[in-house]
């Protein structure tokens, strides 16, 4: 079953990557100006919208849960890049450089998922998709708290681990919603 998870996860990442690439063409690496806290808030907005849709609220925007989950994956990967590079005052990297950084962070996140999926024995498959939303929101609040502490924690994982968990939960949601079929 783990091989199937790996295949599905990679399929979802390729869909997310394709959209990232298209937006990179349209906007360049405009996200380079975003500070980590702003990226955390962007992911928060997307997760809150998912929760609103899950509770049956009217969808006036027209985009559904999957588009928001893809946004969480892509903003999560951008956040990991920004943690390494810091924010800039302009678009200081080329699209090719941005894609290489995206791919590097996606690979690291995939490798983490493989390790955790092995240790947790595919537990994500037995979870409800609404639990992924709640876990993403929890990880966001943890990240905000760590950001408020200036990155200093006593026993907890860092911000990067929380971003990778958000990405992984979003990918699991996309798999369960049929994006990997």
């Amino acid at each position: 079953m783990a091989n199937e998870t790996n295949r599905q996860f990679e399929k979802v990442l390729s869909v997310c990557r394709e959209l990232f690439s298209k937006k990179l063409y349209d906007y360049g690496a405009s996200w380079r100006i975003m500070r980590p806290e702003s990226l955390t808030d962007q992911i928060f907005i997307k997760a809150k919208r998912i929760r609103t849709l899950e509770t049956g609220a009217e969808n006036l925007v027209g985009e559904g849960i999957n588009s928001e989950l893809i946004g969480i994956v892509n903003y999560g990967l951008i956040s990991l890049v920004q943690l390494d590079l810091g924010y800039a005052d302009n678009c200081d990297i080329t699209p090719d450089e941005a894609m290489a950084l995206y791919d590097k962070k996606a690979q690291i996140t995939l490798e983490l998922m493989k390790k955790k999926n092995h240790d947790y024995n595919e537990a994500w498959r037995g979870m409800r998709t609404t639990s992924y939303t709640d876990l993403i929101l929890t990880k966001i609040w943890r990240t905000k708290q760590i950001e408020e502490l200036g990155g200093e924690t006593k026993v907890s994982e860092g911000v990067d681990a929380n971003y990778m968990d958000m990405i992984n939960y979003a990918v699991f949601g996309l798999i369960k919603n049929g994006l990997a079929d």
Side-chain angles (χ1 to χ4, degrees):
M1 189 59 112
N3 286 337
E4 179 66 5
T5 296
N6 296 347
R7 183 196 66 75
Q8 291 174 315
F9 201 94
E10 289 172 4
K11 166 73 173 165
V12 168
L13 282 179
S14 73
V15 170
C16 295
R17 184 185 192 278
E18 182 178 345
L19 180 61
F20 179 83
S21 177
K22 289 176 180 176
K23 288 193 174 199
L24 191 59
Y25 175 84
D26 288 349
Y27 306 130
S30 58
W31 46 266
R32 286 287 295 127
I33 67 168
M34 294 182 81
R35 292 173 282 192
E37 298 84 1
S38 298
L39 287 161
T40 302
D41 286 341
Q42 186 64 35
I43 296 168
F44 173 72
I45 290 166
K46 297 199 166 297
K48 286 292 285 185
R49 181 154 190 278
I50 292 168
R51 184 181 253 188
T52 299
L53 293 173
E54 287 172 344
T55 58
E58 185 178 3
N59 183 352
L60 299 178
V61 175
E63 293 181 345
I65 290 172
N66 280 0
S67 65
E68 301 297 348
L69 288 169
I70 290 169
I72 290 172
V73 170
N74 285 340
Y75 277 113
L77 291 167
I78 288 168
S79 298
L80 292 170
V81 169
Q82 292 293 79
L83 286 176
D84 284 352
L85 298 182
Y87 64 91
D89 290 329
N90 54 45
C91 302
D92 62 347
I93 59 175
T94 68
D96 288 341
E97 291 169 327
M99 288 307 305
L101 292 165
Y102 179 97
D103 290 341
K104 176 183 173 188
K105 293 304 181 182
Q107 187 61 41
I108 292 168
T109 303
L110 171 64
E111 293 305 318
L112 176 66
M113 181 283 298
K114 288 178 181 179
K115 290 174 186 175
K116 285 189 171 187
N117 195 44
H118 172 271
D119 288 357
Y120 288 93
N121 195 26
E122 299 273 322
W124 70 272
R125 290 195 181 272
M127 295 171 62
R128 297 173 185 94
T129 55
T130 53
S131 293
Y132 304 139
T133 306
D134 292 348
L135 288 165
I136 290 167
L137 284 165
T138 300
K139 295 290 182 175
I140 291 165
W141 284 106
R142 289 179 181 179
T143 300
K144 286 181 174 221
Q145 178 63 27
I146 294 169
E147 289 169 347
E148 293 299 316
L149 294 171
E152 298 295 321
T153 61
K154 291 185 178 181
V155 296
S156 302
E157 297 175 309
V159 171
D160 59 338
N162 282 289
Y163 283 135
M164 284 190 274
D165 285 346
M166 290 178 223
I167 294 164
N168 287 336
Y169 288 129
V171 171
F172 291 153
L174 288 162
I175 291 170
K176 281 227 171 167
N177 289 343
L179 193 65
D181 297 337

